[in-house]
Amino acid sequence: MRPSRTTLRAATSTVSAAVLATTVLAGAPATAAAATPESAPTATVSSASPSVRFVDIKGDGGITLKANVFTPAGADGTRRYPVIVLPTSWSMPQIEYMAQAKKLAEAGYVVVGYNSRGFWQSGGEIETAGPKDVADASKVIDWALAHTPADPQKVGMGGVSYGAGICLLASAFDKRIKAVAALSGWADLIDSIYSGRTQHLQAVGFLNGTGELTGRPSPELRTILKNFLTSDLTTEKDMIEWGRKRSPTTYLDKINANGAAIMLGNAWGDSVFPPNQYARFYEKLKGPKRLEFRPGDHATAEGLGLFGLPNDTWTNTQRWFDHYLKGADNGIDRESPVLLKSRSTGAYEGYKSWQDVASTQRKIELGGSRQIHTNWDSGANGGLIFLSSMLDQFLRLPPMASIPLLPRSLAAVWQSERYETGQRVRGTTRLHTTMTSTAESGTAIAYLYDVGPLGIGKLVTHAPYTFHDKTPNQPFGVDLDLFSTAYDVPAGHRLAVVVDTVDPLYSEYNPSGARLTFSSPASDPSYVSVPVRD
């Protein structure tokens, strides 16, 4: 008899919990039980280490949330400690944060990590950071205040990816939350997975597959994903409204009114939640705030820290909590609040605001007229989800293409002059052009390449763009923000702008035989504006 998926989830969760707990708590003479009800006594690891117990917490509607609780060593009920709540990432088990939770508990925090509803052994269905997930966060805070020596005046939330989104949403609806660290998350869900009105196919396919494997998607989520992946435009408005309800930017006024200190962290190459939407959200926050961007893909900038390894993102996360929950005078509030790490040099740079990142705009004129055929991959593309940006993060090997060999019938190409000095690209590149299509719908992908003397282009940034309901053969204007980045173009190199119509990362709407023409009218010249730090 073949075991069911639920049985496999249960077995995997139990084994994973035992292995990771043993790793995190190595050297302790006692271990916690694998699953303990709320009323069960704490299983203390040792008198010199934080105690840990596994508990069941009642979430919204009475469903069970599987959780683990770390309490500082020596806690005897005579004092209160700041508390940090950590909702898990998409498809991750409840042990995800144990290494960091132990470190935080050693620093004097009560830490509650819990499995988001619908995943693994937690009850309910996957609501994709819907109202029930937000209510769960408050239920976990309620539980922590009632069952641990947690200080109700010093409540923080943190999380990676899905957990980050839940943290930001919860900060809009629960005034008790004083500090948030939202790592590799989203502020605008639709602008993340549907930017340029284009389905981010690989990203959503990955979320869909892992959600089915490790959880129980709600009927609403299954319908949304089915319509999304089949490009059903009749349901586009419903999808956008569904995403709007799950976007922290929708509740920006409430977040600002509650005044939590918010730290945002992300990677330049995040293929699930690109950095642009986080930067825009950051600029609109009114309370204490911090923005950090590093090389990598989704959750890879902070990923090694989940295993307890040294990690800058988690170090700053603890400093953030130390200052805004403990009142520690560690200087993080006096540092430049925008911290960027260059993809090219690995050096950190601090800025007063996102607007200060670029000091100059270098324009590349997109002169003349270019016509390309659709439905064929020119060879220019954004790479593969996770793999490409991780190669860039660890080996500085972004996706590459031979610019001279790109077929001009499939790719429109423009190049800058050769730069005599290095160009420090910082921020958001913007494309402005006039497009004409032989069809009413279509998709184009714009790329910016760093081109060396041999014509090999290294991808600096890119973004997709889709249009519908256009009159065939009638020109229309296009303005597109490419994904924000920090990349250094060496002296002697050029920048190349490439536009084609097919990229494995995205869905496309180009009918067979369609053609796209890019022009630059004298009254409205076409260009790409590249943000450069002098």
Side-chain angles (χ1 to χ4, degrees), residues 260-514:
I262 295 178
M263 172 179 162
L264 305 173
N266 205 352
W268 294 120
D270 194 320
S271 48
V272 180
F273 304 127
N276 301 45
Q277 44 91 32
Y278 243 19
R280 285 193 290 268
F281 179 71
Y282 168 83
E283 285 291 277
K284 296 175 183 177
L285 289 172
K286 302 298 184 183
K289 58 184 180 178
R290 184 177 179 89
L291 177 68
E292 300 186 357
F293 284 141
R294 294 177 174 85
D297 205 305
H298 184 62
T300 65
E302 60 274 358
L304 293 178
L306 294 175
F307 297 96
L309 298 175
N311 182 269
D312 291 351
T313 305
W314 283 104
T315 296
N316 284 347
T317 293
Q318 183 171 331
R319 293 177 65 224
W320 190 254
F321 286 135
D322 284 349
H323 181 75
Y324 287 102
L325 294 182
K326 287 185 175 181
D329 186 14
N330 56 19
I332 197 167
D333 57 319
R334 298 187 296 274
E335 296 173 1
S336 297
V338 176
L339 183 68
L340 311 183
K341 189 175 185 180
S342 168
R343 291 167 50 200
S344 305
T345 67
Y348 280 108
E349 304 166 3
Y351 299 92
K352 293 181 179 180
S353 74
W354 178 248
Q355 298 301 322
D356 290 332
V357 169
S359 55
T360 302
Q361 297 292 324
R362 297 266 192 271
K363 280 192 176 182
I364 302 173
E365 303 296 337
L366 308 183
S369 180
R370 308 281 196 278
Q371 185 179 84
I372 60 175
H373 296 271
T374 65
N375 291 325
W376 294 89
D377 193 339
S378 72
N381 63 69
L384 296 173
I385 185 174
F386 297 129
L387 176 62
S388 296
S389 289
M390 288 179 69
L391 287 173
D392 185 39
Q393 176 183 2
F394 294 111
L395 301 176
R396 295 178 188 166
L397 289 175
M400 292 184 282
S402 174
I403 304 304
L405 296 182
L406 292 177
R408 276 16 182 203
S409 61
L410 304 178
V413 180
W414 299 264
Q415 294 194 70
S416 72
E417 74 282 2
R418 197 179 305 277
Y419 296 111
E420 295 183 0
T421 59
Q423 304 294 301
R424 299 169 61 208
V425 179
R426 299 290 186 274
T428 307
T429 296
R430 293 181 169 87
L431 176 146
H432 172 77
T433 190
T434 296
M435 186 187 299
T436 305
S437 173
T438 58
E440 65 176 12
S441 295
T443 298
I445 303 94
Y447 309 89
L448 184 68
Y449 283 98
D450 160 26
V451 185
L454 299 179
I456 300 300
K458 294 183 177 181
L459 187 64
V460 178
T461 181
H462 77 287
Y465 174 83
T466 293
F467 59 90
H468 297 289
D469 303 321
K470 299 296 184 183
T471 302
N473 301 311
Q474 291 295 316
F476 58 93
V478 173
D479 289 286
L480 177 65
D481 284 356
L482 278 60
F483 300 138
S484 304
T485 196
Y487 182 97
D488 294 359
V489 179
H493 285 211
R494 304 174 186 267
L495 284 171
V497 179
V498 177
V499 183
D500 72 359
T501 62
V502 174
D503 191 304
L505 289 171
Y506 309 107
S507 296
E508 52 92 8
Y509 288 85
N510 298 300
S512 179

Side-chain angles (χ1 to χ4, degrees), residues 15-240:
V15 173
S16 298
V19 172
L20 186 54
T22 301
T23 301
V24 172
L25 305 173
T31 57
T36 309
E38 285 184 32
S39 58
T42 298
T44 303
V45 177
S46 82
S47 60
S49 299
S51 65
V52 59
R53 55 178 168 149
F54 291 82
V55 301
D56 291 349
I57 298 175
K58 287 185 179 180
D60 186 58
I63 64 109
T64 297
L65 299 171
K66 292 293 184 178
N68 53 77
V69 184
F70 281 82
T71 306
D76 56 8
T78 61
R79 58 167 292 191
R80 295 280 183 174
Y81 299 87
V83 59
I84 298 174
V85 173
L86 303 171
T88 56
S89 304
W90 184 272
S91 80
M92 291 294 286
Q94 58 145 314
I95 56 174
E96 176 183 9
Y97 301 112
M98 287 190 73
Q100 289 300 324
K102 181 174 182 287
K103 287 185 176 183
L104 288 166
E106 289 171 341
Y109 293 92
V110 171
V111 186
V112 184
Y114 73 94
N115 223 140
S116 303
R117 71 165 49 223
F119 286 106
W120 295 93
Q121 300 311 300
S122 282
E125 297 175 324
I126 302 173
E127 301 289 338
T128 321
K132 293 180 181 179
D133 291 294
V134 176
D136 284 345
S138 291
K139 291 286 188 181
V140 173
I141 294 173
D142 292 342
W143 183 92
L145 297 179
H147 295 86
T148 74
D151 188 336
Q153 303 302 317
K154 299 177 180 179
V155 178
M157 285 195 72
V160 176
S161 184
Y162 190 53
I166 292 173
C167 290
L168 288 175
L169 288 163
S171 72
F173 294 94
D174 195 323
K175 295 181 179 180
R176 295 173 297 182
I177 300 170
K178 305 303 181 185
V180 171
L183 311 177
S184 291
W186 75 91
D188 188 326
L189 187 57
I190 293 301
D191 195 40
S192 295
I193 62 175
Y194 194 54
S195 69
R197 208 178 176 187
T198 309
Q199 289 95 330
H200 292 213
L201 191 61
Q202 286 187 19
V204 175
F206 171 80
L207 295 175
N208 184 32
T210 54
E212 289 285 353
L213 180 64
T214 62
R216 299 167 299 281
S218 67
E220 180 186 34
L221 175 58
R222 282 200 168 101
T223 299
I224 289 291
L225 290 175
K226 177 184 177 182
N227 293 337
F228 185 92
L229 293 171
T230 56
S231 303
D232 186 353
L233 287 176
T234 63
T235 63
E236 184 182 39
K237 289 183 179 180
D238 292 338
M239 180 194 69
I240 291 174

